[in-house]
Amino acid sequence: MTDTKPILEVLSGKRQPVPPVWFMRQAGRYLPEYRALRERAGSFLKLCFTPELAAEITLQPIRRFGFDAAILFSDILVVPHALGRHVTFEAGEGPRLEPLDDISKLTALRTQPDESVLAPVYDAIRLVKRDLPTGVALLGFCGAPWTVATYMIAGRGTPDQAPARIFAYAQPDAFAALIDILVEVSSRYLVEQIRAGAEAVQIFDTWAGVLPPREFQRWCVEPVARMVEHVRREIPDAKIIGFPRGAGALLPAYVGDISVNAVSIDRAAEPAFVRKHVQSRVAVQGNLDPLVLLAGGNALDRAIDDVLANFAAGPFIFNLGHGILPETPIAHVEQTLRRIRRS
Ligand code: CP3
């Protein structure tokens, strides 16, 4: 018997009678078993770079909930880390890097990653693959160049990514050089993840929505299109999901220029617009509001039904509009899976 995986079927354009489901950030702080391992390991990056721990955390939500996909436990900021921009994660504070706030630091940036930093990621993928239940697909991922660059420039998360936006306006050539490095390194990183066993990959462009149309085209669409072309040159049937969070009315430009297999949409995306301009061309993934998942109750049931009514008539993967929040009750995740699967 062949092991068909519903999520891979959807990524081939085939609608499934019951939509496959996984959640962004499904491995993480809302799970007591994650918090216990995090406590013992001490640091978040130690979890990411210890293959046995990363594999174990990747599988935790699969064992508990039976999601249709496992997403490799890691972070988008391991790429700058491998480029020598050391990242730390302080509990409750978010990531910190030394800011790339002037041209001299940018020109000194290495253009090739330290492969020994990324090697444990590929080892974790091989370990997960060994223990993955039938029918469950393994997803790899990376950050899109724009989103990764916003953290590298500012050295931290900011509400509107003003530091990177200002840098890109004031020094477009230097910024383009940074984006080019990230395109190259991230494409190769995805290829290696797929070679190690990832069955599809997602490109997270969390901060796509802060850019005006011209800059969206230049810093989000063009770089991600080049990444997808690079990955497909090496792995022609690679399955790729794009997540241009906040793209809104610019979604048609995204799917028009980038040959992704699916687009992950955020909670604010307008359903009729998405059906017409996105789902007519590629599969859609999304877009339950993480806050309604946190709130639960009848509001959650209604929101799940809305998402299904909006998108489940076509190729569709059920997901959140953004990552699951640490305060989310486990019972609400269970309620959601039961309702999608009518079980
Ligand atoms: O989805 C998964 O379960 C896989 C693991 C994963 C993490 N980060 C683990 C993580 C994935 C896919 C990411 C992606 C990521 N990381 C993005 C893009 C998606 C998004 O959520 O917007 C971004 C922007 C980052 C950068 C990052 N990492 C931030 C801003 C933070 C701090 C905020 C937060 O949620 O804590 C992190 C830390 C992080 N990444 C944690 C986890 C489980 C929490 C670390 C901890 O345990 O303290």
Side-chain angles (χ1 to χ4, degrees), residues 106-119:
L106 244 173
T107 44
L109 183 69
R110 50 191 295 169
T111 56
Q112 304 292 334
D114 177 346
E115 289 297 341
S116 70
V117 171
L118 299 177

Side-chain angles (χ1 to χ4, degrees), residues 33-34 37-38 49 88 125 127 144 153 168 192 199 220 240-241 254 275 279 287 290 297 302 324:
E33 57 270 37
Y34 170 78
L37 269 188
R38 167 85 158 89
F49 293 136
T88 56
I125 290 175
L127 287 179
I153 302 269
E192 289 309 316
E199 294 159 290
C220 294
I240 306 175
I241 306 169
Y254 189 87
R275 281 195 300 272
Q279 207 174 23
N287 72 339
R302 196 178 53 216
I324 190 167

